[in-house]
C-alpha cells in the first residue's frame, strides 16, 4: 500500500483559497467541460418527484406499514435514493450536530490542520480523495472519522474542538446507527430476505460506520468546478444530513442531473455499491455529485453504514436464479474501497467494472 502513504503533493484547504478572495479558481479545480455543472439546465426535482417517505408509517397498522415498505422498495429500484421524514431523531439533535461542525470548520486554520489526514486511513481533516498526482481536485474540505466498529474508533482522531463536539458526535452516531438498523431491516424484507439478513451480511455487531462532514466554501467560479465529483458511495447505506438552506446535491437519473431540494429536518438516504452488489442489482446505488455556489458556504454530514472490512460480500444466493445469474464476484470492503481511495471519485465506474463476465 505504498501508494497510499502520503499525498502526492501538498494539500491546500479549499477554505483558504476561498477566503483569499481571489476572483478566479486555480486551474486544478477546473473540470473538463463535459463534467461542469451547467447550473441552469439541471432539472428541478419537483418536476420528477424524488420520493419523500414518512417513516411513521412503519409503526402504524399492517396496511400502512406495507405501503411504506413498498414506497422504500420502489425508491431503491428506481432511484437508489429518497428522503425520510418522521424518522424519530429530534430536530434538536440535528441542529446541534450541524452547529458544532460549523464551529469546527470556523476554527483558525492551524487548529484544523492539527488533524490533517493522510491517505492510509483518511481519518481527520482533508481536502482530497485519491492520490493521483496532478489530479483535478474538488472544491470542498471534509473531516472523516470512524464511528464503528469500536475496535477501530479512536476519539483522539476526532476533533477536540469546539468542546462539546465529541459528545455530540457520539449522540448523533448512536441515533444514526438506530436509523440504519431500521432501514436495513426494511431493505432486507423488501428484497424478500430474512429481516436480519443485511445486518448479518454486513458482519452484525462488527459492521463499520463512519462519518464524513463536508464543508463547501463559497466559490468565485461555481460553473467551472464541483464540490464533489460524480460518484456512488462505495459502502452500504448513506444517511445524509444536508444544509436545508443551501442546495448543492444533485442525483443522476438517466442522463439528467437533478437538483435535490432538501426537505427541512429530513434525512437523505442513498443506496451504496455494497447493497447493489448484495441485492444482485435489484437495488441500484445512486450516482450523485455536489455543485457549489458563490454566495454561501454549505455543510453536510454523510453517515456511512459499511460492511465489516474483511468479510467477502457478493450477491445474496437467495437473489440468484437461473434467469438472474450472479452479477458480481465476492470482494471484501477493504479491497473494494481501495479503488476510490486511490483514484478518487469516478461516477459508477467501479461497481460497473466489477460485473462478472
Ligand atoms: C459524500 C456526498 C453529498 C453532499 O460525502 O459522499 O456525496 O451533499 N456528499 O455533501
Ligand atoms: Ni456520496
Amino acid at each position: 500500500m505504498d501508494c497510499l502513504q502520503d499525498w502526492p503533493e501538498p494539500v491546500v484547504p479549499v477554505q483558504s483559497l476561498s477566503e483569499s478572495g481571489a476572483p478566479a479558481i486555480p486551474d486544478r479545480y477546473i473540470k473538463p467541460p463535459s463534467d461542469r455543472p451547467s447550473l441552469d439546465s439541471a432539472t428541478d426535482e419537483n418536476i420528477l418527484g424524488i420520493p419523500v417517505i414518512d417513516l411513521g408509517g412503519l409503526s402504524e397498522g399492517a396496511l400502512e406499514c406495507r405501503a411504506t415498505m413498498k414506497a422504500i422498495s420502489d425508491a431503491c429500484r428506481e432511484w437508489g435514493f429518497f428522503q425520510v421524514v418522521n424518522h424519530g431523531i429530534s430536530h434538536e439533535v440535528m441542529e446541534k450536530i450541524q452547529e458544532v461542525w460549523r464551529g469546527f470548520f470556523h476554527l483558525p486554520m492551524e487548529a484544523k490542520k492539527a488533524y490533517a489526514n493522510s491517505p492510509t486511513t483518511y481519518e481527520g481533516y482533508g481536502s482530497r480523495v485519491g492520490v493521483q498526482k496532478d489530479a483535478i481536485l474538488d472544491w470542498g474540505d471534509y473531516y472523516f472519522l470512524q464511528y464503528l466498529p469500536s475496535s477501530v474508533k479512536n476519539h483522539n482522531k476526532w476533533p477536540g474542538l469546539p468542546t462539546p463536539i465529541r459528545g455530540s458526535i457520539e449522540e448523533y452516531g448512536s441515533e444514526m446507527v438506530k436509523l440504519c438498523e431500521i432501514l436495513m431491516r426494511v431493505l432486507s424484507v423488501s428484497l424478500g430476505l430474512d429481516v436480519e439478513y443485511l445486518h448479518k451480511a454486513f458482519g452484525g455487531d462488527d459492521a463499520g460506520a463512519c462519518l464524513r462532514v463536508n464543508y463547501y466554501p463559497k466559490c468565485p467560479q461555481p460553473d467551472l468546478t464541483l464540490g464533489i465529483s460524480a460518484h456512488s458511495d462505495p459502502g452500504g447505506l448513506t444517511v445524509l444530513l444536508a444544509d436545508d438552506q443551501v442546495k448543492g446535491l444533485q442525483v443522476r437519473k438517466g442522463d439528467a442531473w437533478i437538483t435535490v431540494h432538501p426537505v427541512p429536518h429530513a434525512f437523505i438516504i442513498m443506496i451504496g455499491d455494497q447493497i447493489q452488489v448484495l441485492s444482485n442489482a435489484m437495488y441500484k446505488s445512486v450516482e450523485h455529485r455536489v455543485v457549489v455556489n458563490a454566495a454561501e458556504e454549505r455543510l453536510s454530514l454523510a453517515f456511512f453504514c459499511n460492511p465489516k472490512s474483511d468479510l467477502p460480500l457478493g450477491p445474496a444466493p437467495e437473489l440468484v436464479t437461473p434467469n438472474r445469474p450472479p452479477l458480481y464476484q465476492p470482494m471484501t470492503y477493504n479491497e473494494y474501497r481501495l479503488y476510490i481511495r486511490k483514484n478518487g471519485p469516478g461516477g459508477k465506474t467501479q461497481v460497473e467494472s466489477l460485473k462478472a463476465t
Side-chain angles (χ1 to χ4, degrees):
M1 285 216 288
D2 278 358
C3 58
L4 289 185
Q5 262 159 24
D6 212 349
W7 303 113
E9 52 236 337
V11 173
V12 181
V14 175
Q15 188 176 10
S16 60
L17 299 172
S18 174
E19 288 174 359
S20 76
I25 63 175
D27 287 352
R28 50 181 328 186
Y29 295 89
I30 300 180
K31 304 291 175 187
S34 59
D35 292 349
R36 292 182 198 164
S38 57
L39 297 172
D40 317 324
S41 70
T43 315
D44 200 289
E45 101 162 74
N46 292 334
I47 304 166
L48 284 123
I50 293 178
V52 178
I53 296 171
D54 181 341
L55 287 190
L58 293 174
S59 34
E60 284 168 28
L63 264 183
E64 201 48 35
C65 182
R66 242 178 270 138
T68 309
M69 306 244 305
K70 166 97 171 47
I72 294 176
S73 175
D74 290 348
C76 293
R77 277 168 219 267
E78 251 190 72
W79 293 86
F81 177 90
F82 50 99
Q83 301 198 56
V84 294
V85 293
N86 225 336
H87 39 63
I89 298 166
S90 80
H91 296 179
E92 200 189 325
V93 167
M94 297 170 82
E95 279 154 17
K96 192 159 86 193
I97 193 76
Q98 289 173 295
E99 191 188 310
V100 291
W101 277 106
R102 264 196 203 94
F104 172 79
F105 285 102
H106 290 155
L107 290 173
M109 191 48 81
E110 286 318 305
K112 290 180 293 226
K113 280 193 170 165
Y115 298 97
N117 73 349
S118 90
T120 41
T121 68
Y122 276 87
E123 289 163 287
Y125 178 59
S127 300
R128 64 183 287 167
V129 175
V131 291
Q132 310 290 22
K133 196 164 174 358
D134 299 324
I136 298 181
L137 301 178
D138 291 337
W139 191 266
D141 300 326
Y142 64 85
Y143 201 104
F144 181 74
L145 61 86
Q146 205 74 45
Y147 184 77
L148 284 176
S150 1
S151 54
V152 178
K153 174 160 91 172
N154 179 354
H155 274 185
N156 292 327
K157 296 188 175 174
W158 297 13
L161 289 170
T163 358
I165 198 167
R166 286 183 183 151
S168 305
I169 299 168
E170 284 291 357
E171 176 184 53
Y172 185 72
S174 74
E175 295 292 334
M176 287 294 97
V177 169
K178 280 188 249 164
L179 178 58
C180 288
E181 280 170 1
I182 294 172
L183 292 168
M184 296 282 248
R185 282 196 207 113
V186 171
L187 296 192
S188 299
V189 172
S190 61
L191 282 166
L193 301 168
D194 179 72
V195 64
E196 295 300 331
Y197 193 98
L198 284 177
H199 176 70
K200 286 188 190 146
F202 272 42
D205 294 340
D206 296 325
C210 37
L211 177 69
R212 175 175 154 127
V213 185
N214 298 293
Y215 176 75
Y216 307 101
K218 291 178 200 170
C219 177
Q221 294 178 299
D223 45 341
L224 298 183
T225 191
L226 290 167
I228 303 189
S229 296
H231 66 285
S232 52
D233 292 342
L237 200 62
T238 303
V239 181
L240 184 80
L241 174 54
D243 200 312
D244 56 23
Q245 304 300 316
V246 188
K247 293 196 285 275
L249 178 64
Q250 296 187 326
V251 294
R252 184 159 165 164
K253 180 88 167 142
D255 289 332
W257 284 104
I258 298 161
T259 300
V260 177
H261 295 232
V263 173
H265 296 114
F267 286 102
I268 291 169
I269 312 296
M270 297 198 251
I271 299 294
D273 293 344
Q274 303 306 313
I275 288 190
Q276 175 166 332
V277 167
L278 205 136
S279 72
N280 205 21
M282 278 172 72
Y283 290 172
K284 306 283 185 337
S285 62
V286 62
E287 188 172 351
H288 55 285
R289 67 180 188 184
V290 172
V291 300
V292 289
N293 75 86
E296 284 163 304
E297 62 183 40
R298 177 171 178 269
L299 182 88
S300 74
L301 280 82
F303 190 86
F304 303 107
C305 290
N306 298 330
K308 180 174 186 288
S309 60
D310 58 357
L311 204 63
L313 198 143
E318 292 83 345
L319 302 178
V320 171
T321 64
N323 291 335
R324 202 176 167 82
L327 287 172
Y328 311 97
Q329 311 276 8
M331 198 188 249
T332 68
Y333 188 53
N334 256 345
E335 288 173 283
Y336 191 86
R337 69 180 166 195
L338 268 185
Y339 179 96
I340 191 164
R341 289 188 166 193
K342 270 195 208 158
N343 303 312
K348 284 197 65 169
T349 49
Q350 183 181 13
V351 69
E352 296 307 333
S353 73
L354 271 184
K355 287 227 163 104
T357 42

